[in-house]
Structures are given as C-alpha cells and as structure tokens.
Amino acid sequence: MSSMPEWLQKLLPILILLAAIGLVFARLPKVELGHSEAFKRRRFFNWFPLGMTYAFLYMGRYNVNIATSAMGNRTTNADFGTIFFWGTIVYGVAFLLNGPLTDRLGGRKTILLSAAGSSVCNVLMGAVVYAVLTQDWQPPGGLVAVLSVLYAANMYFQSFGAVSIVKVNAAWFHVRERGLLGGVFGILISLGVYFAYDWSALIVKAAPTYWVFFVPAAILLAFVVLDYFVIRDTPGDTGHPDFDTADASSGDTGPRLGLKAVVSRMLRNPTIVVILLIEFCSGYMRNAIMQWYPKFAKATGIGGTFVASNWGMLLCVAGITGGMFAGVISDRLFDSRRGPVSAVLYAGMSAGAVASLFLIDSMMLGWTVIFMSLCVIGVHGMLSGTASMDFGGKKNAGVAVGIIDGAVYLGTAAQSLLLGRILPSGEAAKSAANWGNWPIALVPLSFVGLLLATRVWNARPQPKAAPLPTAAPVETLPSPRTGTGG
C-alpha cells in the first residue's frame, strides 16, 4: 500500500465500498414495474453522467475552503467566512428563481447551465488567485471583495445542480424505485465532498494554489459536452414510452401553475411543512459536524490523527453507506415511505450527539461524528433527493426541491451564526475541554429532527387531478401497506 500514489490510497477504500454496494444491490429483489432492459440501460446512461456532474459541482463549490487555507497570510479564517457567507446567501435565495426556471426549461438545460456557469466562475477565481500570487496584483476593493462576488456568482449557478438532478430523475423513476435513487443521491453528495476536500488538498500539495480552481473548471466543462449529447429530460425524448410515476403529479393534465400558487399549495401541505422543518435540522446538523470537526482537530492538535487527516475520504465512505442503507430500507422494509427512514437515522444522530457530550476528550469523538455524518447524509438524500420528487411531483419537482434545499441552507446559516459565537478561539481553543458547547449545540436539533420525522411516518404522495393538491393532515394519511414492496 505504501508504494501506491497518495491519491490512489485515498480512493481505493471508496472503490472497494462501491464494489461491495454494487454486489449487494445486484442481489436485492427487484421492484418489477415492467421496464425493459433497454429502458434500464438508457436510464443508467441518463442519470449516471447527470449525477457525476452534480458530484463535481461540489468540487467547484467547496474548493474555496482549501484555497483560502493554502494562501497563507493573504487570507484569514474570517476572510473565508465572509466569502462563504455571501455564496451561501446567494445559493439559498437563488432557489426561488431557479426552481421555477428548472420546471419551465427542464433539468437537462439547467444542468448544462449550472456546469458551464460554475466552470467559468472557477476559471475567473483561479485567474484572480494566479494574479495575486504570481504578479502581486491588488484587486480593486480587495481580494476578499472580488472573491466574494465571483464565489456568489458561482453559487448561483451551483444552485441549479440539485434542482436539475431531481427534475430529470422524477420523470425516469417510479415512486417505488425512488428509495434506492435517494441512496444514490446520498452517494453523489458523498463523492462530491470527497472530491472537494481530499482531491483539492492533493492539488494544492502538488501544484500552485490556483489549480484548485482550474481543475474542477476543466472537469465541469468536459461534463457539459458529455451531458449535452447524453442526458434527456424524459424517456419519451429517447424513444422509450413515458409512464405514470405515481407521485403528486399523477393524473394532472392541466397547465403548470405559477410559482406563487405552487408555493402556496406546498406550504398548506402539512407533510411538506414537516419535511421543511426536518431539512432545516439536517442542514444545521450536517454543517455543524462537517465544518467544525476539522477546526476542532486542528485547534486541539489532533489534526494528524486518522479521522482528521482522512476527513474527506471518511465522509465519503460514511455518506455512501448511509445513502445506500437509507435507500434499501425505504424501498424494501418501509414500502417506499421516507418518514420511517428519516426517523431511524435521526435516532442514530441523537445517540451520537449524546455520546459526543462524554467523548469530547476522546479519540472516539472522530468516529462518532463520522457515524453522525452517515446518518445526516442518508436523511438528506431521502428528503431533498427523493421526497421532493414524491410530494412535489415530476411537474413541480424544481420548485419542491428548491424550497426544501432552501430550508437546508437556513439551517446551515443558523449553525454558522450560533457556533461561530459560542465556540472557543485563540488559546482557549487548544483545550478540548473548552469545546463542550459544540456537542451541547448538536443535541437539541437532533432530537427535534427525530420528533418531526415521526410525524411523517405514514406519509405518502397523493396522486390527484390537481397539481400538488393540499394533502390531508399527516395523521390521516394512508397507513403503510404490509410486505416489502418488492
């Protein structure tokens, strides 16, 4: 193993895990809906490049973290916080525009727009960093201001990514197939996190810092070309018959409603309101773990331990495992319901948060937060990647995932404001004992998420003639059918 290149050493565990998941997946009983083998092959060649484009969008999103760290005294943690803050704000607000745009234009066009726009923005950020580092250029208004503007533009285009992937897949997957698709969504998120953290770190070790922007820009441009020729919005666009996906758009033959009407109906649907609140908790928990454990490890002097030094790889492995676990139990155990899966995973997060209270001085803390990451990525894949299709319906999937992902980023903003104020800095941060507020801040939201998930235990999409009808209260939604759903 020691003779292998470093990048291969980091990638090998993920490849082994993917192979194992593929073997298990191949042995599972199939959900038979009458799809031909030709349709299944064409569907794979539709969602796989779409999904990999989404994964590499992550690399072109979180690379700014690695870049600002690698620039030494030219940027500080506060500078990174400013740049990331403006990008996050734009990303969250952009859903209000980009969700309806995706429903109108189709996911194929918007994923092309997302990858192309992000590629251009990464080239521009790389050019700025190149000029600053090699020419000692002083940007007008300062480096932070220029990077904030370019990163905000990048995040606008990035916000098309999740909306596009859900919009396209909503037409290709029946409700009973979407549990495993949600698992795949979790895998794509995990691969993206791995690319963003570990590949970017390898790039700045092997090449000047500005290449951390140029490399993902080149990869995204290559996927623009591939996606143009391969991805199609519906089976009918490839010569295969379209079919009823049995989601909330089933039976809806009327015109698409405007944004105001769709949002109004969604917010009157108690199931969707609960999902929004759960995803607020998911955004809070995911980023409170992913962003702050590396800072904790560096400050307390354990940055060289296995978990801290392989953070991106372990998050990827955890996310893949959590995504597939969530997908399998949703479709095979809970008959394609998403609420029970979220409740099981939030129970795991709650247990991990409580354990963290007692492990703050222990090396086991790292493995505990990895387990919690497994749980939260599984929930996010189930709700943003799958439930948004189910309850939004393929006609309104763009708006649905936009609103749900917007709730995720509200949670992200909340944890940033809270933890940035209550966690130690400077000399105080060097002692793990002073970080007790961190797990304390995780416990309440983990239990709130668990309680909310139990409220949608029996929730299912209700196909009706009107697009996105107001659902019955969660308590009166149909009881789960018996059996495995196979």
Side-chain angles (χ1 to χ4, degrees):
M1 180 74 74
S2 59
S3 62
M4 291 184 181
E6 184 179 357
W7 67 270
L8 184 56
Q9 292 183 41
K10 290 180 175 292
L11 185 60
L12 189 59
I14 297 171
L15 294 176
I16 293 172
L17 181 61
L18 286 172
I21 288 172
L23 179 63
V24 172
F25 179 74
R27 302 290 295 179
L28 287 171
K30 305 298 182 185
V31 176
E32 294 297 342
L33 296 170
H35 298 320
S36 68
E37 291 302 317
F39 171 83
K40 293 176 183 178
R41 285 194 299 271
R42 184 60 184 87
R43 183 169 68 177
F44 172 81
F45 287 114
N46 206 69
W47 72 254
F48 184 73
L50 175 67
M52 291 306 296
T53 305
Y54 181 66
F56 280 109
L57 281 168
Y58 264 70
M59 187 180 183
R61 180 189 311 177
Y62 294 124
N63 53 352
V64 70
N65 190 325
I66 304 297
T68 51
S69 297
M71 291 176 70
N73 58 10
R74 292 181 183 270
T75 56
T76 65
N77 287 337
D79 293 336
F80 164 71
T82 299
I83 296 167
F84 193 75
F85 169 79
W86 287 113
T88 301
I89 291 296
V90 170
Y91 189 93
V93 173
F95 283 124
L96 297 175
L97 173 63
N98 292 350
L101 272 179
T102 302
D103 282 333
R104 182 180 297 274
L105 299 176
R108 176 179 178 270
K109 290 181 179 178
T110 52
I111 195 65
L112 295 174
L113 179 62
S114 179
S118 180
S119 179
V120 170
C121 291
N122 270 274
V123 168
L124 293 175
M125 286 188 287
V128 168
V129 173
Y130 171 84
V132 169
L133 295 181
T134 64
Q135 309 297 321
D136 201 26
W137 179 55
Q138 300 299 318
L143 176 61
V144 174
V146 172
L147 286 180
S148 294
V149 171
L150 293 177
Y151 189 65
N154 178 43
M155 291 294 273
Y156 170 77
F157 290 107
Q158 289 268 346
S159 70
F160 278 111
V163 182
S164 300
I165 193 172
V166 172
K167 179 65 176 179
V168 172
N169 286 334
W172 285 83
F173 289 85
H174 190 276
V175 164
R176 291 177 61 198
E177 301 174 292
R178 292 177 181 175
L180 287 176
L181 180 62
V184 170
F185 190 79
I187 289 176
L188 297 173
I189 293 172
S190 305
L191 287 173
V193 169
Y194 168 70
F195 296 148
Y197 284 100
D198 285 15
W199 279 28
S200 295
L202 290 174
I203 290 170
V204 297
K205 285 183 180 179
T209 301
Y210 42 82
W211 281 102
V212 81
F213 296 106
F214 293 150
V215 170
I219 294 173
L220 287 171
L221 186 60
F223 271 98
V224 169
V225 177
L226 176 63
D227 293 351
Y228 178 82
F229 290 104
V230 174
I231 294 173
R232 295 296 181 267
D233 283 315
T234 66
D237 293 336
T238 65
H240 293 280
D242 293 324
F243 61 96
D244 185 357
T245 56
D247 58 24
S249 289
S250 180
D252 176 15
T253 58
R256 180 182 295 111
L257 297 179
L259 173 62
K260 183 178 180 180
V262 173
V263 172
S264 175
R265 291 195 177 195
M266 286 183 68
L267 295 181
R268 292 202 308 270
N269 183 326
T271 298
I272 291 180
V273 171
V274 174
I275 289 173
L276 289 172
L277 294 173
I278 295 171
E279 281 296 78
F280 174 90
C281 297
S282 298
Y284 179 100
M285 294 294 294
R286 184 175 72 159
N287 288 280
I289 296 166
M290 286 174 51
Q291 290 187 19
W292 291 100
Y293 179 76
K295 294 182 180 298
F296 167 83
K298 183 177 180 180
T300 57
I302 62 170
T305 58
F306 183 80
V307 172
S309 59
N310 293 278
W311 184 242
M313 183 270 287
L314 291 173
L315 282 179
C316 183
V317 172
I320 289 172
T321 306
M324 289 309 299
F325 172 77
V328 168
I329 67 172
S330 176
D331 281 347
R332 310 299 178 186
L333 182 61
F334 295 118
D335 202 15
S336 297
R337 285 175 292 139
R338 319 308 175 195
V341 181
S342 300
V344 169
L345 292 173
Y346 257 104
M349 266 189 278
S350 298
V354 172
S356 298
L357 293 170
F358 305 97
L359 296 173
I360 197 71
D361 283 316
S362 170
M363 288 295 105
M364 287 302 298
L365 178 66
W367 294 107
T368 302
V369 296
I370 286 293
F371 171 74
M372 294 169 67
S373 299
L374 178 156
C375 295
V376 74
I377 292 175
V379 172
H380 187 52
M382 274 293 97
L383 298 184
S384 284
T386 303
S388 56
M389 293 187 211
D390 296 348
F391 293 98
K394 63 183 179 182
K395 179 173 285 190
N396 302 295
V399 174
V401 72
I403 292 175
I404 291 172
D405 254 18
V408 173
Y409 275 80
L410 283 176
T412 298
Q415 66 82 28
S416 295
L417 289 175
L418 176 64
L419 296 183
R421 295 186 178 188
I422 67 173
L423 294 184
S425 59
E427 288 297 315
K430 294 181 179 180
S431 173
N434 293 330
W435 284 76
N437 283 339
W438 179 34
I440 289 174
L442 297 177
V443 171
L445 268 292
S446 68
F447 278 97
V448 170
L450 172 59
L451 178 62
L452 290 169
T454 65
R455 299 292 299 164
V456 290
W457 187 274
N458 292 327
R460 298 178 187 275
Q462 301 296 304
K464 292 183 181 179
L468 206 62
T470 302
V474 173
E475 293 84 347
T476 64
L477 286 168
S479 298
R481 299 186 299 270
T482 58
T484 63

